[in-house]
Amino acid sequence: MSGRMLAGGEFVCESLQAEGVDLVFGVPGGAILPLYDHILKYPSIHHVLTRHEQGAAHAADGYARATGKVGVCIATSGPGAINLAVGLGTSFMDSTPIVAITGQVTRPAIGKDAFQETDVTGVTIPVTKHNYLVLSATDIPRVMKEAFHIARSARPGPVLVDLPRDVLQEIDEFTGYPETVDDLPGFRPITHPDPIQVEAAAELINSAKRPVILAGRGVLVAQAEKELQELAEKAQIPVIPTLLGIGSFPGNHYLYLSLMGMHGSAFANLVVDECDLLVNVGSRFDDRIIGRVADFAPNAKIVHLNIDRSAIHQNVFADAPVIGDAKNSLKALLPQVDKQTRTEWLSRVDDLRREHPLVVRDFDGKPSTQYVIKRIHELTNGKAFIVTGVGQHQMWAAQHYVTDRPNSFITSGGLGTMGYEVPAAMGAQMGMPDEQVWSICGDAGFQMTLQELATIRDEKAPVKFAIMNNFHHGMVRQWQTLFYDKRYSQIDTTGPDFVKLAEAYGMLGIRVEDVKDVDSAIKRAQDHDGPVIVDFLVEIDELVYPMIPAGQSVNEMVEDPWTQQQPLGTVAR
């Protein structure tokens, strides 16, 4: 359509089509209507009408994480655009590529407190990788090309494009969508590592006696799972995933050690405490991992591979930083790493795993959240896409849903966004329509965005919702139990009858109160060809163990008292 006279709204649609976008999530409104008027002409772009803009942003996030593509969400000016902010912050913290398109008041009205005017670019600076206010229709193709490039390249993240209504209405000549991105001042990511840095890292790995690898989301972003496994196997190094790194290394591999950190497995935490080298690949050393910095991996040298220069030395000093894309860095590192056995160290790791196992407790007939998750894992053979909310159920899912599928464990890590689970699961399901998607929810977080059940119904997305219903803000209650002398303040979350709610939305609803009914409920949900809500009434007093209190170290880790009372070797993982 090069050379045709088009409106600015058509410029946006042409740009989306050129980027191969076939699915967008959004809510219309006055300022963005000129775009919605034209999107009808582009049947290749399927628009999903969410019930809230936050849902649109989370859906785009879940879609992007599951598919590896750039997610797209759309909102109008003012409150519509601001409602995207939580979702943008979620994707920013977790390095998810999103392009958010927002409407804005007309150019003459900007800065005059017009109806539904907000300085959207100003508001979103802290939660976007970059943003644009477009003041001419002719700039739209270039800006959109740059937005997608910035969103997906280097360390991915959200980019916002703010479009005044009169820019969307402006008629101009469309001369085509750019094939390449011109030089972007200030955006020059280092994708290939410095050989000197690689050599220094290899020397530390070769001389280490007790090394361990910490695998973060950067491995998944770079599609470096194969290179990571080759490094681990060649040098015989155990691998611990971060919360967002789950799936970067096969969970059934003998070198896999499970999550570490505040609610990570005790044995993984103790392995890090005893290691003499920690190789961080694609993680930023989050505070929930390191605890008290002075006591983190006290005997270890640090090798840190990361494409984001600002992450190096940010929280933990790196003895050998390697700046670059994880795949390229691991490829450069592999030939310089010696093949080793490390029999003594791996034997010690196995001892710690045996002495400090992850356990699933029995609560005399009442289902525990851990048991439900464990059975979902076993009945799906660890092959489902899992989307969690935030809280106790999230930590138990990370502990017990072991997977070997990259990008199949989707959760809000950095921002810890309650309400993420419903719309993100919808986005993941729509992006991967042939996959089984289970959303493991807390009853409190589920209620924050449950309006998107209407969208899920309309789109016929067969998400299976497993609500771990303990009638409380579970993690808040846990902290009040352990650190506030059981002074329970504002944690009761008595909600609707979730089975009747499911029926109101035209979905199958199932309630489970007895542990003997867990399997049949999961199988019934799996066999149903539409969305399902399973309301698991779980044990209220179940706590997430182990736990390292905030700002403390492994030496202050609290393990499950019940586990510690059992004879060694009698507790199954």
Side-chain angles (χ1 to χ4, degrees):
M1 298 182 70
S2 178
R4 291 186 61 189
M5 300 302 291
L6 301 177
E10 291 174 290
F11 278 44
V12 175
C13 294
E14 290 288 333
S15 300
L16 292 174
Q17 190 167 260
E19 286 288 346
V21 174
D22 56 7
L23 190 65
V24 299
F25 304 87
V27 181
I32 198 69
L33 273 182
L35 171 58
Y36 275 87
D37 185 46
H38 290 295
I39 205 168
L40 293 170
K41 305 172 187 175
Y42 294 82
S44 63
I45 303 172
H46 177 56
H47 182 277
V48 177
L49 177 63
T50 60
R51 297 315 191 253
H52 191 280
E53 292 88 356
Q54 181 181 345
H58 289 328
D61 185 294
Y63 169 88
R65 295 200 209 191
T67 64
K69 302 176 183 178
V70 177
V72 178
C73 54
I74 304 174
T76 194
S77 64
I82 290 176
N83 281 342
L84 292 177
V86 171
L88 296 177
T90 301
S91 60
F92 181 74
M93 292 288 281
D94 291 351
S95 305
T96 306
I98 285 178
V99 170
I101 300 168
T102 55
Q104 183 55 274
V105 299
T106 60
R107 285 169 289 187
I110 292 175
K112 297 182 179 179
D113 294 332
F115 177 68
Q116 290 192 333
E117 180 193 1
T118 302
D119 179 6
V120 177
T121 54
V123 168
T124 60
I125 283 173
V127 293
T128 55
K129 191 174 175 184
H130 192 60
N131 60 28
Y132 294 88
L133 173 60
V134 184
L135 298 177
S136 172
T138 56
D139 290 335
I140 290 175
R142 173 187 60 79
V143 167
M144 293 294 288
K145 183 69 176 181
E146 291 178 5
F148 275 86
H149 173 73
I150 293 170
R152 67 164 64 96
S153 59
R155 179 179 174 180
V159 178
L160 182 137
V161 179
D162 198 32
L163 295 158
R165 180 163 55 86
D166 58 332
V167 170
L168 291 169
Q169 295 171 320
E170 187 175 74
I171 304 296
D172 213 321
E173 184 181 8
F174 181 76
T175 58
Y177 191 67
E179 294 184 4
T180 60
V181 174
D182 293 334
D183 182 57
L184 299 175
F187 187 67
R188 298 183 178 89
I190 298 172
T191 56
H192 288 77
D194 185 327
I196 296 176
Q197 292 182 340
V198 174
E199 182 180 358
E203 288 177 0
L204 287 180
I205 294 172
N206 292 335
S207 61
K209 301 298 182 185
R210 302 183 304 280
V212 65
I213 293 172
L214 180 65
R217 176 157 161 73
V219 177
L220 296 167
V221 169
Q223 300 180 5
E225 300 87 2
K226 176 177 176 288
E227 289 77 12
L228 175 64
Q229 186 169 339
E230 287 179 6
L231 174 64
E233 291 175 347
K234 182 177 183 180
Q236 288 295 283
I237 306 176
V239 178
I240 297 172
T242 66
L243 178 64
L244 296 178
I246 292 174
S248 63
F249 192 81
N252 58 1
H253 197 285
Y254 69 95
L255 290 171
Y256 178 83
L257 287 191
S258 184
L259 193 72
M260 69 161 292
M262 177 178 281
H263 290 299
S265 64
F267 60 84
N269 286 333
L270 291 168
V271 166
V272 170
D273 198 54
E274 294 187 15
C275 76
D276 65 357
L277 178 69
L278 178 59
V279 182
N280 182 337
V281 185
S283 166
R284 59 187 172 83
F285 280 123
D286 179 78
D287 61 286
R288 291 298 174 101
I289 286 177
I290 61 179
R292 187 164 56 238
V293 178
D295 295 320
F296 175 70
N299 306 304
K301 297 284 188 180
I302 304 294
V303 172
H304 193 177
L305 282 65
N306 206 298
I307 197 169
D308 185 356
R309 284 176 288 184
S310 69
I312 303 296
H313 307 312
Q314 182 183 48
N315 296 320
V316 173
F317 176 79
D319 298 278
V322 180
I323 301 170
D325 170 88
K327 191 179 191 76
N328 294 331
S329 297
L330 288 171
K331 279 185 174 180
L333 192 59
L334 273 166
Q336 301 187 45
V337 170
D338 297 337
K339 184 177 179 63
Q340 300 203 36
T341 56
R342 295 197 167 94
T343 305
E344 183 177 344
W345 173 230
L346 294 182
S347 176
R348 174 58 180 160
V349 169
D350 286 341
D351 287 343
L352 290 172
R353 193 200 307 263
R354 179 176 58 86
E355 294 167 4
H356 302 271
L358 283 172
V359 298
V360 176
R361 290 183 60 181
D362 179 14
F363 286 96
D364 298 322
K366 194 173 184 75
S368 69
T369 301
Q370 295 181 79
Y371 179 76
V372 173
I373 292 170
K374 187 170 185 288
R375 292 306 295 152
I376 292 174
H377 173 262
E378 291 168 351
L379 292 172
T380 59
N381 297 313
K383 302 300 184 183
F385 276 68
I386 299 297
V387 184
T388 84
V390 170
Q392 289 178 312
H393 67 281
Q394 176 191 31
M395 296 296 98
W396 283 315
Q399 290 178 355
H400 297 293
Y401 201 95
V402 181
T403 182
D404 59 0
R405 299 190 68 184
N407 302 309
S408 65
F409 189 91
I410 299 170
T411 192
S412 171
L415 199 61
T417 306
M418 291 181 67
Y420 177 79
E421 57 264 61
V422 177
M426 173 179 67
Q429 182 72 83
M430 296 192 70
M432 307 294 285
D434 297 327
E435 299 289 346
Q436 186 176 152
V437 175
W438 277 86
S439 180
I440 298 178
C441 315
D443 57 303
F446 182 85
Q447 293 181 71
M448 291 184 175
T449 51
L450 62 78
Q451 71 274 1
E452 298 308 334
L453 294 175
T455 315
I456 289 167
R457 174 203 60 208
D458 291 352
E459 296 293 337
K460 299 179 175 59
V463 181
K464 317 305 178 186
F465 293 99
I467 301 176
M468 306 303 162
N469 190 356
N470 62 8
F471 304 98
H472 291 93
H473 283 274
M475 188 62 84
V476 177
R477 187 178 191 274
Q478 171 161 335
W479 280 58
Q480 290 175 343
T481 298
L482 297 176
F483 307 120
Y484 292 88
D485 296 326
K486 298 185 178 180
R487 293 189 298 276
Y488 298 124
S489 176
Q490 308 305 313
I491 56 170
D492 296 340
T493 56
T494 303
D497 182 323
F498 289 118
V499 172
K500 290 183 178 178
L501 182 75
E503 293 169 354
Y505 280 106
M507 301 178 180
L508 174 62
I510 306 170
R511 179 172 292 111
V512 177
E513 300 182 54
D514 194 297
V515 69
K516 71 176 187 298
D517 298 322
V518 169
D519 281 18
S520 61
I522 295 170
K523 291 175 182 176
R524 188 179 173 196
Q526 287 180 299
D527 292 340
H528 187 68
D529 62 1
V532 181
I533 294 175
V534 188
D535 183 16
F536 291 99
L537 303 185
V538 296
E539 171 60 40
I540 292 174
D541 292 321
E542 187 182 15
L543 302 182
V544 179
Y545 289 109
M547 180 175 186
I548 301 176
Q552 297 188 21
S553 70
V554 171
N555 294 327
E556 290 121 334
M557 179 171 60
V558 181
E559 295 190 60
D560 190 337
W562 180 84
T563 307
Q564 301 304 299
Q565 294 166 8
Q566 309 307 307
L568 187 64
T570 64
V571 179
R573 180 179 176 185

